[in-house]
Amino acid sequence: MGYFGGEQALAFEGKVFPDKGATKEDVMQRLSDFDAMDVTDIYSHNTIQSTTLMSHLEAAEIAKDANRMFLRRNYLYKELLPGCTKMGLEVKQMVKEMLRFPEDARVRFTSGGSESLYSAIAAAKEWGQQEKGILKPNIVVPYSIHTAFSKWCKYASIEIKRIPLGDDYRADVAAMEKAINRNTILIAGSAPCWPYGLFDDIPALGALAEKHNVWMHVDGCLGGFQSPFAEKLGQALPVWDFRVPGVRSISADLHKHGYSAKPLSSITFRNTEWEQYYCCSASDWPDGLYSTEAITGTTSAGPIASAWAVMKFLGEEGYLALAKRSMEVKQRYLEKISAIDGVECFPSDLCTMTIRLEKGLDLFAVMGGLFERQSYCLPSFQPPAIKIVLDPVTDEVVDTFVRDLAEVIPLVKAGEISIENLKPWM
């Protein structure tokens, strides 16, 4: 998960790579053994979007079949794959229609949210160098923005300024403005952020970007494909997209609430004026022009096919139904967790919800007790809380987690569960 350290080292007995190939039956049986070691459908959905691709949904089976059909097609060779190319263009058009983007918006596929964020940073860096002569760039972002921003800034030698949040755990716009200087190329906000499920004030940040002439990116990786449908169902959400004039790019993950197979995300530029700073074609080698969809080269058409299949299968009616179910799941969690002494649900806008622990209650002990019961969750450290994802899961998923949480809390208070219970997962 990236939260509890890297993969565990294994001591292998003998060679792992076989001298002679195994039968198909043996290979599939071994794969089934690996599959059985992973978390089950009931428990994994509390952890992260589509961990098992929402396998209780019929759309998930369709996504899986479409992914398998086009898995070995390389989207890099579009000129040789007119079918894949047309399919991809239809997905991009549906992205614009689903997310209410303007017709001249420019959508590109990426391998995931991290690549989408790097794409925005790369475009802003190129723009800053070309148009403003910035050679030592920095970006200004709220403390709650995804950590991928920090990762890419390290790779690209860009200074990142993470600004403390306001009392409402959203971006402190005034504090961010104070951090902007002549070398600032980009500011960003979340819609919503991963730690708290809260939207930053995108209109205010967009106005800030216009005032100081810096690139404005909206990280909609988490909520991009749920927000429009939640709004249609009557949920009040802040304006977060290209309706805000200062926004130049938006990231949104199709493999989250778009329900495609992983890995697939998108980076969308307001128009070609801003997309041009992202384009990178090279020809300084023996084989001539090399131009790619995004940063990566080889790209499986499988996830793109799965997105096309799910979008066509669900339609607006289907996505509205799934958004409605996610909202019902949130309400069920709120009602049931409120009856547990020692924890409370912190208000969120969309997608995730944090469960705050009363003072003195050990976060790691609570997680250890839950993990022992196969109820998996993610931590939030500031303030101490556990995080669950608000997906359109079954009542059984909700009730199982709440039951285990209600069982663990008094045991932690009594000292019968401690951080030691979490160590097998660290």
Side-chain angles (χ1 to χ4, degrees):
M1 289 188 289
Y3 282 80
F4 306 110
E7 60 190 17
Q8 300 294 319
L10 286 178
F12 294 106
E13 296 181 5
K15 287 180 61 180
V16 177
F17 181 60
D19 294 323
K20 182 179 179 181
T23 65
K24 178 182 177 181
E25 290 74 21
D26 288 343
V27 169
M28 297 310 295
Q29 180 56 56
R30 190 70 184 101
L31 288 173
S32 295
D33 294 340
F34 287 134
D35 180 60
M37 295 168 66
D38 291 338
V39 291
T40 67
D41 294 350
I42 295 298
Y43 297 102
S44 63
H45 292 311
N46 289 320
T47 311
I48 190 166
Q49 269 92 351
S50 305
T51 300
T52 51
L53 203 61
M54 304 303 296
S55 54
H56 68 290
L57 299 176
E58 189 176 3
E61 288 303 313
I62 290 173
K64 193 181 298 184
D65 291 343
N67 182 40
R68 186 182 300 115
M69 183 180 296
F70 285 86
L71 187 64
R72 295 187 63 81
R73 304 281 176 85
N74 187 355
Y75 199 69
L76 176 66
Y77 298 112
K78 295 179 184 177
E79 62 275 11
L80 304 179
L81 303 170
C84 283
T85 300
K86 185 175 187 299
M87 178 176 64
L89 290 172
E90 289 191 15
V91 172
K92 291 178 179 181
Q93 181 61 29
M94 286 191 281
V95 168
K96 289 193 286 186
E97 293 172 6
M98 292 169 70
L99 276 59
R100 303 167 304 192
F101 289 167
E103 186 55 37
D104 58 349
R106 302 291 295 172
V107 182
R108 286 176 177 248
F109 298 127
T110 69
S111 62
S114 290
E115 186 181 2
S116 293
L117 297 179
Y118 179 72
S119 298
I121 294 171
K125 183 181 180 184
E126 185 67 19
W127 167 78
Q129 184 172 332
Q130 285 189 29
E131 305 300 329
K132 302 179 77 173
I134 296 175
L135 300 179
K136 294 183 177 180
N138 67 65
I139 70 172
V140 177
V141 296
Y143 183 57
S144 56
I145 205 88
H146 198 281
T147 190
F149 276 94
S150 296
K151 179 171 70 173
W152 293 124
C153 284
K154 180 175 177 61
Y155 283 144
S157 298
I158 296 173
E159 180 188 3
I160 182 169
K161 300 179 181 181
R162 284 186 174 266
I163 308 303
L165 304 174
D167 293 337
D168 59 356
Y169 290 92
R170 304 177 197 269
D172 186 331
V173 179
M176 287 180 64
E177 181 170 24
K178 290 180 181 178
I180 294 173
N181 62 25
R182 63 182 182 180
N183 287 324
T184 301
I185 57 170
L186 174 145
I187 64 172
S190 303
C193 68
W194 173 246
Y196 311 117
L198 296 172
F199 280 69
D200 291 319
D201 189 344
I202 303 302
L205 290 172
L208 198 63
E210 288 190 294
K211 177 181 176 181
H212 294 277
N213 187 25
V214 296
W215 193 287
M216 170 65 188
H217 179 75
V218 174
D219 179 12
C221 288
L222 182 58
F225 284 90
Q226 190 177 74
S227 299
F229 302 105
E231 286 186 278
K232 287 184 178 181
L233 291 168
Q235 181 165 346
L237 292 174
V239 178
W240 60 277
D241 49 24
F242 289 122
R243 289 173 290 179
V244 178
V247 174
R248 297 181 184 176
S249 58
I250 297 174
S251 51
D253 287 359
L254 289 95
H255 62 214
K256 288 192 173 72
H257 292 107
Y259 301 105
S260 78
K262 293 178 181 290
L264 188 63
S265 180
S266 64
I267 174 74
T268 303
F269 299 93
R270 178 180 286 276
N271 50 42
T272 55
E273 177 185 356
W274 304 115
E275 184 193 36
Q276 67 173 316
Y277 297 105
Y278 179 60
C279 298
C280 180
S281 297
S283 57
D284 55 343
W285 70 321
D287 285 12
L289 183 65
Y290 184 78
S291 183
T292 60
E293 176 76 10
I295 305 297
T296 57
T298 295
T299 302
S300 170
I304 298 169
S306 75
W308 185 94
V310 171
M311 288 171 170
K312 290 291 189 179
F313 174 73
L314 289 176
E316 181 165 328
E317 184 179 40
Y319 278 99
L320 282 169
L322 291 175
K324 182 174 183 290
R325 176 56 190 166
S326 293
M327 293 163 69
E328 292 169 349
V329 165
K330 180 179 182 179
Q331 189 58 36
R332 190 175 185 89
Y333 272 123
L334 287 170
E335 292 173 357
K336 288 183 170 291
I337 291 175
S338 66
I340 304 175
D341 183 41
V343 297
E344 65 173 340
C345 294
F346 185 77
S348 68
D349 294 325
L350 208 66
C351 300
T352 65
M353 183 169 65
T354 56
I355 303 169
R356 304 289 173 89
L357 310 180
E358 70 177 28
K359 189 174 182 180
L361 203 57
D362 189 332
L363 168 65
F364 297 106
V366 173
M367 292 184 65
L370 288 171
F371 278 33
E372 285 184 330
R373 289 157 178 78
Q374 291 189 304
S375 272
Y376 300 102
C377 56
L378 295 174
S380 187
F381 301 114
Q382 298 171 338
I386 55 178
K387 189 192 338 287
I388 52 178
V389 174
L390 302 170
D391 272 342
V393 296
T394 62
D395 286 349
E396 184 182 10
V397 171
V398 177
D399 296 347
T400 299
F401 182 81
V402 173
R403 179 202 68 203
D404 291 342
L405 182 63
E407 184 178 295
V408 164
I409 295 299
L411 293 175
V412 172
K413 288 184 175 182
E416 296 180 36
I417 295 177
S418 70
I419 192 175
E420 295 296 320
N421 297 74
L422 185 63
K423 283 191 174 179
W425 289 272
M426 297 179 73

